[in-house]
Amino acid sequence: MEACLLSFIVGNILANNLPILFNVNELLVTMLLIGCAIILRYYKIASVLIGLCSVSAFMQWQSLSPIVANNQAQSLVIQAQIDQLSVQSLAGGKSQQKVNVTVNCIYQTEICSQAFWLPTSKLRLSYYRAEPLLQLDQLVKLKVKIKPATSFNNQAGFDFKKWLFGQNIFATGYIQQVEVLSDQPSLKHIWHSQLQKLFVDFQFGDLMLALTTGDRSWIEQNWDVLKNTGTAHLLAISGLHIGLVFLWCYWLVLLILLPMRTSHYFAYQTLAKVTALMMIWLFVYFCQQSIPIIRAAIFISVWVSLSLFRLNWSSHQRFVVALFVVLLLLPLSPLSISFWLSFIAVACVLLVWRCMQLFSLDQHNLCLRIIYLQTGISLLLLPTQVVFFQLIPTGSLLANLIAIPWVSFIILPLLMLALMCLLVIPALSLPLVWLADKNLTWLFETLAWFEGHFVALNASQLSLIFVVLIPAGFLFVYLLRYMAFVRRKLMLAGLALIPLAIAVSFQLQQHNKGWRLHMLDVGQGLAILLEDGTSAVLYDTGDRFNSGFNLFEAVVQPVIIARGLSLEQVIVSHADKDHAGGLEAIGRIWPNAHIYQGKVGCEQVNQQTWLNLTWFSWQNVLADNKNNASCVVCISDLQHKVCLTGDIEQQTESWLLTQSQFSQLLPLDVLLIAHHGSRTSSTENFIQASKAEYALISRGAFNRFNHPHPQVIEVLQRNSKVVIDSAVDGQSIFYFNPEAEIEVKSELAGICLPWYKQSIKQASGKLSAFRDDLL
């Protein structure tokens, strides 16, 4: 049975990364194959196929919803219930609500009805109006503008679309009109309102609200401290917190029922476990029911239920069954980073615990056992942190040794007691919250000390990371002494990977010759990174949103880290925030990077020699608007020439053609199409004069400006340009090798992309068709 469950898990994880999903006919054929495999007793093969079908069947069912099936931008009138709600502060004292809703039905006329067998879709919406105020569990009629879920597709950085799919959300948008259909406040809304009032006057009220409601968006500060010390997982509802709620409730019931322990031991244990399970699901209901919280509750429920049925199963068998149930109920879970972090962490706990039993490590010393457990988990999780975050907080082991008990046995119990007192004795809640706030203050002072004394390593510091990973390697080797057959299989796998490693190394060596240009996918903005393998120059930084989220930290910085680069210079074309939104983050993260902006900065770029390239710059002093005053930068290595044009319009394009230094650079190899493809730029004369082989367009998918304009595409088409579009291709890398032709690699150009990335290409709109015609 265990082998079949593992086969299903492998099939599900594989299906989440396949280039395509099965259609209905393929699903029917596969079901026949599954039936044949079961009849012939090939149960493992049948289980793998069932796992493969689980994702395809779920998505085929979801595609019955008009919201998912249309896969295009659209305006709808819907009836929905508000599941999650958070508030973000904007500039000028305004606020924005982020709302997750479950769509009950779509209005076709005045009637809203939906067949019971159709799936209920979820949407993530933004709401900018103050009135009417939205509330949790409210039933509303909404006029919404939605588009398919999209993301920034780069080699590193946060994949928003993947995260949305992991939450079973397939479209995003904003609310245009609201009509409240039910004014009666729900228990959940009343509870959340009371919590906001309870925490509002405390320094760490946002953190305490996040801990008790399950929504990290309430946290407005201290993220850098948490990230750099590896403790961010502690201060939002996660599997650890759900587990702690279960344990505290379980121990409390055991204490209350202590007199019946000897006479009715089985009933005593069963009642405590069932009560604790009921309490965690009640806690999940009053939290904002995000998928990670539900996933943790399912896992604990399955684990405990197996013990209630008195099945004599080992810990790893229970782990496999619980994982199987989670994937059966939530088949898209492997798309979520939190899924991997949670289950790898649990697997590490079980592995380290087994090692402690094998080696009899201080069975009678609780403190030492906790230290051994935390040390082993931290070491085993290092590779996972490198893969997902390209960052290793060197002080995370010591920080977690202090922070985990502090949060688990002091802060969280204080908050749980405060919540209980809020229902029974409200006067006692404030002193308990005050104590929790004081402990959070002391905790953050401690974490700030760790941040200042322990450097967070990034993936570019491979030699240092290798040294840090050596203990984890020794631990695995030591364990393999007890699993000789596993060791032999790993050695064979390692031998098989040697040719692949040689091929990859040769390819990297080829690409390290010359220099590279990256047009990063930053949505409706611009960020161009130029590098030679060690140093980098950035032209524009991407956007910054009113909530504080900026594209430099989300996209540019992860790519810089992943490629092992040092950011030396930053050129800002002009002050629009979609081009200069990351300057504040750059000043904080790369304080030594020299920033060139404005008239003086643009002049200083001219005739510079960076990355062994010659840099030229121009700024139209007669510009009639800020777009035309963008700093235009061209780069040359004598053989290849690239021009970056910011947001210039027709006036500056004509002016550039009169500049002798610019004219001498023509023809170009690569030209950035100005202003994201707006019709105010890219005149026929300018495009013809440039004679560039490649035309770059940086823009957001389904953007409200309808960039690029069809007129611009027609001009490019008439002049036979190869169009590289960030909304269609994602991040694109140009390799300029003096010994070879220009080579272009795009993030979304491969045929083996996971299916959720393939859908981006299908929803890219008219420009994709134009681009295909050109190619």
Side-chain angles (χ1 to χ4, degrees), residues 669-703:
D669 293 289
V670 179
L671 173 67
L672 174 68
I673 298 302
H675 204 183
H676 320 288
S678 167
R679 66 176 177 177
T680 59
S681 309
S682 305
T683 61
E684 188 97 34
N685 287 341
F686 188 73
I687 298 299
Q688 285 179 350
S690 72
K691 297 182 181 178
E693 181 182 356
Y694 295 95
L696 309 185
I697 299 177
S698 179
R699 56 105 180 185
F702 306 105
N703 64 84

Side-chain angles (χ1 to χ4, degrees), residues 372-493:
Y372 287 141
L373 187 65
Q374 182 59 43
T375 303
I377 294 169
S378 297
L379 291 175
L380 291 173
L381 282 177
L382 286 179
T384 304
Q385 287 189 307
V386 173
V387 170
F388 287 126
F389 306 116
Q390 296 90 45
L391 190 73
I392 294 182
T394 56
S396 64
L397 173 58
L398 294 176
N400 277 288
L401 279 173
I402 295 172
I404 287 179
W406 205 334
V407 172
S408 302
F409 300 108
I410 298 176
I411 295 173
L412 195 61
L414 283 172
L415 289 174
M416 293 299 107
L417 285 172
L419 299 188
M420 293 174 63
C421 290
L422 191 62
L423 296 173
V424 183
I425 314 173
L428 289 178
S429 294
L430 279 176
L432 291 169
V433 172
W434 179 83
L435 278 174
D437 187 69
K438 280 296 180 186
N439 276 275
L440 281 168
T441 302
W442 299 328
L443 174 62
F444 269 92
E445 288 174 356
T446 306
L447 294 179
W449 184 88
F450 276 105
E451 183 187 27
H453 289 78
F454 293 90
V455 179
L457 306 179
N458 60 52
S460 64
Q461 296 163 302
L462 294 177
S463 58
L464 292 176
I465 290 174
F466 178 74
V467 171
V468 175
L469 291 177
I470 284 176
F474 277 122
L475 177 61
F476 276 114
V477 170
Y478 205 58
L479 286 174
L480 291 178
R481 293 174 56 191
Y482 297 88
M483 297 179 286
F485 70 99
V486 176
R487 185 169 69 251
R488 288 195 297 270
K489 290 184 178 180
L490 287 177
M491 289 175 63
L492 291 173

